[in-house]
Amino acid sequence: MNGSAQLLEFDDLSVTYRTGGGDVPAVRGVSLSVAAGEVVGVAGESGCGKSTLAATILRLQPPSAKVTGRVLFEGEDVLTMKWGALRTLRWAGASMVFQGALHSLNPVQRVGAQIAEPIRLHEPGLSDKTIDGRVGELLEQVGLPAVRARAYPHQLSGGQRQRVMIAMALACRPRLIVADEPTTALDVMVQAQVLNVLKDLVSDLDVGLLMISHDLSVLADLCDRIAVMYAGRVIEHGPADKVFTDPLHPYAAALAASFPHIGDLAARYAPSGLPGDPPDPTELPSGCSFHPRCPQRFEDCDRVVPELRGDDTRAAACLLLEAP
């Protein structure tokens, strides 16, 4: 989807979880890429496959998952890497900022020691003084004073903990950062601060960033491109501003319309939204998976599966785009 050299490429990726109740298709035929210095967003409601997609980058999916297709990091397939190469990839090649820093940080260990842990693992032989200096630099890079390295997680605010998670993700100087809903638990002011930190890091360090969120407005402000997922598939992708202001797919339009407009009384008293929830992956509807909730559905939608049509710049999977 981008002409420059790619850091990350999903090539027709599908992930199915094997459970006692049967197979659960979480990701279905996703192709997507991220280049150095680029921010790519993945949007969609809970259950649309976003986090499963992210987990495959570091091969964190459970053993019960059946994965087909390829996940290429700098041209090498993560899914077939030997353990030594995969161990090097994690932290040093690509790292992840998880949702909910309070649950991801060790509550009985100072945050400086937690940031230092991957450095000690991937760069053995460094002195304690050198590592402590690196930890202080990382904290300052994300807008925290170096002295906060001595704090425990409970002594930090939500926004500060999230910055610690970002500092930890940067500890081994990765080329790709994966941020899975990193601002969900934060208030809007702190959310804006954390997003600015991420934006500046991409610009200053020339890393790639894959940003996952249910909030299309957040992605529109931060990302270069956005891919919208529904029921495990990418149903629209394109430039962030276009997907937010001029969506092609009715589902992307519904996500964009759910963003509140301050001062708009009509939106206040009649908020936009969609009835129902994304389908159960074990009972996907026939035809277009979105058609039971689509306000623009027509006769063919319940029997024809729309393909992603367009080009590397802009595409959508909707029969409305194929209608004469």
Side-chain angles (χ1 to χ4, degrees):
M1 293 182 185
N2 191 293
S4 58
Q6 304 299 338
L7 278 176
L8 174 70
E9 292 181 79
F10 298 105
D11 180 17
D12 196 24
L13 180 72
S14 293
V15 181
T16 300
Y17 296 119
R18 299 185 180 113
T19 71
D23 289 350
V24 180
V27 173
R28 303 185 291 147
V30 169
S31 294
L32 188 65
S33 65
V34 183
E38 182 182 36
V39 184
V40 176
V42 180
E45 295 168 282
S46 297
C48 287
K50 308 183 301 298
S51 293
T52 294
L53 185 72
T56 62
I57 299 169
L58 298 178
R59 216 160 84 193
L60 298 176
Q61 68 274 9
S64 62
K66 176 184 177 182
V67 185
T68 61
R70 299 188 301 166
V71 181
L72 302 176
F73 182 80
E74 295 185 329
E76 188 174 357
D77 192 352
V78 174
L79 303 178
T80 59
M81 277 183 180
K82 293 184 177 179
W83 170 244
L86 180 62
R87 186 172 178 269
T88 301
L89 168 67
R90 293 173 176 174
W91 293 104
S95 60
M96 186 171 290
V97 180
F98 292 99
Q99 180 180 170
L102 186 60
H103 305 294
S104 301
L105 294 170
N106 188 331
V108 298
Q109 192 176 35
R110 298 182 194 274
V111 296
Q114 297 184 60
I115 296 171
E117 184 176 354
I119 301 175
R120 295 184 190 280
L121 180 66
H122 286 273
E123 300 181 47
L126 292 180
S127 68
D128 288 346
K129 182 178 180 180
T130 300
I131 293 175
D132 289 345
R134 280 268 295 276
V135 169
E137 291 172 2
L138 286 163
L139 287 171
E140 290 174 355
Q141 202 167 28
V142 298
L144 291 175
V147 70
R148 300 307 277 166
R150 295 191 53 77
Y152 290 96
H154 72 273
Q155 295 175 311
L156 302 175
S157 69
Q160 289 173 328
R161 287 192 293 264
Q162 202 64 54
R163 289 171 189 248
V164 168
M165 289 291 294
I166 296 170
M168 193 181 303
L170 293 170
C172 296
R173 303 185 178 99
R175 279 91 70 198
L176 175 72
I177 299 173
V178 182
D180 187 1
E181 301 270 15
T183 61
T184 297
L186 307 178
D187 63 65
V188 291
M189 295 298 290
V190 177
Q191 175 178 280
Q193 294 168 10
V194 171
L195 292 175
N196 284 333
V197 168
L198 288 169
K199 187 183 298 185
D200 291 342
L201 290 172
V202 171
S203 174
D204 296 343
L205 304 179
D206 198 37
V207 299
L209 173 62
L210 183 69
M211 176 77 175
I212 293 172
S213 178
H214 61 276
D215 191 335
L216 196 60
S217 64
V218 165
L219 297 181
D221 185 56
L222 178 68
C223 299
D224 300 302
R225 294 183 291 121
I226 292 176
V228 180
M229 289 187 69
Y230 189 81
R233 297 182 65 206
V234 172
I235 51 89
E236 181 170 349
H237 74 76
D241 58 337
K242 293 294 185 182
V243 173
F244 184 59
T245 62
D246 185 27
L248 300 176
H249 195 284
Y251 179 63
L255 289 181
S258 65
F259 182 67
H261 298 278
I262 296 174
D264 185 347
L265 293 179
R268 178 180 177 183
Y269 291 110
S272 299
L274 280 171
D277 299 297
D280 184 334
T282 62
E283 299 178 358
L284 291 173
S286 60
C288 173
S289 298
F290 182 60
H291 88 262
R293 304 172 70 194
C294 183
Q296 296 175 264
R297 62 182 179 269
F298 55 97
E299 184 177 349
D300 288 344
C301 294
D302 63 354
R303 61 182 183 83
V304 179
V305 178
E307 297 296 324
L308 196 63
R309 295 181 180 271
D311 53 33
D312 287 348
T313 303
R314 193 90 192 271
C318 182
L319 295 181
L320 288 171
L321 305 178
E322 303 174 23

